[in-house]
């Protein structure tokens, strides 16, 4: 892969009185939260929610709790933090890698170089990171259909809850990586990015064959979804992580950051890719 990463997929030519119910989007896509340019480390707005755009990305069982009420049946928040107070789960590495790949597409940069640039960037004078934010950050918070409320008070409370979560996510994802992730996770992130870079051109050709036509016709609107595919395909092909783990992780990333049918489509594309990968390996052994 040389130079610019885009295109990722080639394209053919307040009162107490009840009022009418208000529909409030619970979250929006990762894309809408990122700027059109990215410079690290402190000034890029990696907010994963945006109250102005709606999302319909999650399945019902993964809907976010309304108005911040605890959901006792929800999956425990991951990743966990280690004894040094840093993220130590592979989920964190994949999410970090995805943010770097996406930013690299916008910047037209090598993702590994961009990662190293962020790792080596100097901290701003007086900058302090509150590690308590890591305990509040939930990598298993999925989007859901717009929540319906019946009063301005409920709407304002829900919007306040979403904005608080956005602020936490923005602070965590823009913090210097060494303060947020342990060394094992940072090394794994780099391995993922190297794999993505080294297989990019070949996987563009594969992706062209397995994604829906509307994704190929509008690649600029599906950058994040295509980045998830590149990340997962590279991990299976190069790092040889079990395909069940990789596909589940990719689908969760899509539920968390993408809209509409993306989780289902990404699941199908990756299963197709894995079958072809198995067939190719089988032929090579003959």
């Amino acid at each position: 892969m040389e130079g610019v990463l885009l295109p990722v997929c080639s394209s053919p030519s307040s009162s107490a009185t009840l009022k009418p119910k208000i529909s409030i989007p619970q979250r929006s896509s990762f894309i809408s939260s990122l700027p059109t340019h990215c410079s690290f480390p402190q000034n890029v707005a990696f907010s994963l929610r945006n109250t102005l755009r709606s999302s319909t990305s999650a399945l019902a069982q993964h809907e976010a709790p309304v108005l911040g009420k605890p959901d006792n049946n929800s999956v425990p928040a991951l990743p966990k933090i280690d004894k040094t107070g840093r993220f130590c789960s592979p989920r964190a590495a994949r999410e970090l890698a995805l943010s770097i790949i996406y930013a690299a597409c916008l910047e037209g940069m090598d993702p590994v170089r961009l990662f190293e640039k962020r790792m080596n960037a100097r901290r701003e004078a007086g900058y302090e990171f509150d590690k308590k934010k890591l305990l509040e950050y939930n990598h298993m918070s999925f989007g859901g259909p717009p929540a319906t409320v019946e009063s301005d008070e409920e709407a304002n409370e829900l919007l306040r809850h979403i904005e608080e979560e956005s602020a936490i996510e923005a602070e965590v994802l823009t913090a210097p990586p060494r303060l947020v992730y342990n060394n094992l996770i940072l090394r794994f992130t780099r391995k993922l990015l190297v794999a993505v870079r080294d297989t990019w051109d070949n996987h563009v050709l594969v992706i062209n064959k397995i994604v829906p036509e509307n994704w190929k016709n509008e690649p600029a609107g599906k950058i994040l979804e295509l980045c998830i595919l590149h990340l997962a395909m590279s991990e299976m092909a190069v790092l040889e992580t079990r395909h069940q783990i990789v596909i589940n992780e990719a689908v969760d990333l899509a539920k968390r950051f993408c809209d509409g049918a993306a989780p289902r489509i990404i699941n199908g594309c990756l299963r197709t890719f894995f079958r072809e990968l198995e067939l190719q390996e089988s032929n090579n052994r003959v």
Side-chain angles (χ1 to χ4, degrees), residues 41-42 118-119 121-124 127 129 171-181 186:
Q42 262 64 261
R118 186 175 176 190
M119 289 285 291
R122 293 183 179 180
R123 302 177 195 173
E124 294 180 353
Y127 173 80
F129 175 66
E171 186 169 351
V172 169
L173 289 174
T174 58
R178 296 185 194 279
L179 297 180
V180 177
Y181 310 91
L186 291 174

Side-chain angles (χ1 to χ4, degrees), residues 46-63:
F46 273 109
S47 172
L48 306 185
R49 291 177 176 82
N50 185 316
T51 61
L52 300 180
R53 292 181 57 184
S54 64
S55 170
T56 57
S57 63
L59 300 178
Q61 61 266 33
H62 293 302
E63 291 178 8

